[in-house]
Amino acid sequence: MKPATSPKTYRVKSFGCQMNVYDGERMAEMLAEQGIAPAPEGEDADLVVLNTCHIREKAAEKVYSDIGRISKAGREAGKTPMIAVAGCVAQAEGEEIMARAPAVSMVVGPQAYHRMPSMIEKAARGERATDTDMPADAKFAALPQRRKSAPSAFLTIQEGCDKFCTYCVVPYTRGAEISRPFSALVDEAKKLVEAGAREITLLGQNVSAWTGEDDKGRTLGMAGLIRALAEDPDLKRIRYTTSHPADMDDDLIATHGEVEKLMPYLHLPVQSGSDRVLKAMNRSHTAESYLKLLDRFRAARPDLALSGDFIVGFPGETEAEFEETLSLVDAVGYAAAFSFKYSPRPGTPAATMDAQVAPEVMDERLQRLQASLNRDQHAFNKASEGKTCEVLVERRGKLEGQWLGKSPWLQSVFFDGADAGGIAIGDIVTAKLAQAGPNSIRGELVANAAA
Ligand code: 5AD
Ligand code: SF4
């Protein structure tokens, strides 16, 4: 199927992790630079980019059904939309997508999307193209500069992963670890701040493995990068995600106590509380070493909120081993968490391990785990009641005069600013956390400015 002409409008649909959200934003900027405009809300786009995720179940099936839906809507509207499949499913199953879905004009991997403009030109001539080349070195330099930013921005500093956890597809889809150069990151952060960012979340599949050299040739880790970025007076908040417990060094722990702009929040996936399961997962930590590490972070920053990722039903996981995960959860008291049923990923070692756990057992374990995690999240939010803190205003709420933002601990806070006057998106206001709900906190405005 040949899309009739060069596309005039685009839509990028990103699935999965924050790194995909970042890539989706960069793709959108690049398409805009080519003179292709974002499709108005509710209207079909000439070019649809599906920026896919391959981390768990049925990702590829979802892509095929999305492709079917987009082509059908196009047919009904009398046009043939150009469809691009990007992201990790593109990387993992590019050839198969091309063979199975003739409506797809191009397949482009996460390290190759800077070459999309020439693929679009080809597609307009009816030529289909696949580009899943790695690595990423040329990509960032080829992308346009940042010109627009929400108050809270993402900045990818590192890509790929060398850890090879036995369940995980990331080392195969995103490739080996690559750190972006220090000067490029300082420059992009500056541009984001000039474009309206007040908070930057540093991103990487294994973000704390970032390493670089400053302008004097000194080797830096992520702690050094955080300290350098914190020097910009207009950047108010810094966060980072996602880390592996093995790459958290003393300098980074100290940074949490020393750099006020580094928010008191740490997402540190543990996956399981059972040492036997952790070993089978090829995680290089034990439950105890993880807990000790958290103690060191908490000693540096006592009000640190903790978040984690969990997998239930890894091959061979027994009831007793699952209960060790529940005990670890009880010991930590997470402020937030993500929990998943194990999903065999083609090509990973765990997919062919014996003793795959039955789906109904996984369902039941996930429910029990989530009950514990929800209990702790609620307790954490309840314990915040009465605190006064800064809130970064991100958008208007549903009600007249209502605003929504984030506390330092990444809680969603809504508050009434109708009588305050002069509040704008991107402001940092002072609010009292008055009442905790299941997913957000009602705040009361104390001052229109930071404390
Ligand atoms: N099955 C289930 N969950 C997975 N994750 C990664 N791979 C899998 C898988 N095969 C989860 C891990 C990781 C998060 C991003 O996704 O918890 O930390
Ligand atoms: Fe996957 Fe994270 Fe393990 Fe890397 S550290 S293999 S991204 S789960």
Side-chain angles (χ1 to χ4, degrees), residues 161-165 167-171 205-206 244 271 283:
C161 184
D162 296 344
K163 290 282 186 278
F164 288 93
C165 299
Y167 51 81
C168 186
V169 78
V170 164
Q205 265 94 26
N206 187 14
H244 188 290
Q271 314 298 357
R283 302 283 296 181

Side-chain angles (χ1 to χ4, degrees), residues 5-165:
T5 48
S6 300
K8 296 197 172 48
T9 60
Y10 73 84
R11 176 163 295 122
V12 178
K13 273 180 77 175
S14 289
F15 303 85
C17 68
Q18 289 151 324
M19 301 201 52
N20 257 16
V21 174
Y22 174 88
D23 287 340
E25 283 172 8
R26 307 278 341 234
M27 287 175 202
E29 289 165 352
M30 186 180 64
L31 296 171
E33 191 95 345
Q34 301 294 308
I36 310 175
E41 198 63 48
E43 278 182 31
D44 293 333
D46 299 338
L47 165 66
V48 181
V49 183
L50 299 173
N51 188 21
T52 59
C53 169
H54 203 229
I55 197 97
R56 280 175 296 274
E57 214 99 41
K58 302 202 178 89
E61 293 318 308
K62 267 188 234 146
V63 177
Y64 289 114
S65 74
D66 262 1
I67 294 167
R69 216 176 16 76
I70 295 161
S71 339
K72 183 164 171 266
R75 269 197 307 280
E76 282 166 9
K79 25 188 220 179
T80 310
M82 189 182 279
I83 301 175
V85 180
C88 292
V89 178
Q91 190 67 39
E93 301 194 12
E95 292 307 324
E96 204 181 321
I97 295 169
M98 275 305 200
R100 238 179 93 173
V104 171
S105 292
M106 72 199 83
V107 162
V108 55
Q111 313 301 14
Y113 64 79
H114 56 298
R115 289 192 286 264
M116 240 160 69
S118 65
M119 298 171 85
I120 293 170
E121 275 176 31
K122 276 195 191 163
R125 296 196 300 266
E127 291 168 42
R128 304 171 81 209
T130 300
D131 189 344
T132 48
D133 278 359
M134 293 204 223
D137 48 0
K139 177 176 75 185
F140 294 103
L143 293 169
Q145 296 223 329
R146 315 305 306 267
R147 297 219 173 84
K148 241 172 65 189
S149 177
S152 179
F154 291 138
L155 171 55
T156 292
I157 65 165
Q158 177 280 339
E159 285 196 287
C161 184
D162 296 344
K163 290 282 186 278
F164 288 93
C165 299

Side-chain angles (χ1 to χ4, degrees), residues 206-225:
N206 187 14
V207 73
S208 357
W210 181 86
T211 168
E213 268 183 16
D214 69 7
D215 39 15
K216 298 192 180 65
R218 288 175 299 211
T219 301
L220 296 178
M222 196 180 62
L225 176 65

Side-chain angles (χ1 to χ4, degrees), residues 55-56 167-168 269 271 309-311 340-343 345:
I55 197 97
R56 280 175 296 274
Y167 51 81
C168 186
Q271 314 298 357
D309 287 346
F310 297 87
I311 297 176
F340 313 100
K341 287 185 274 189
Y342 168 70
S343 159
R345 303 287 72 212

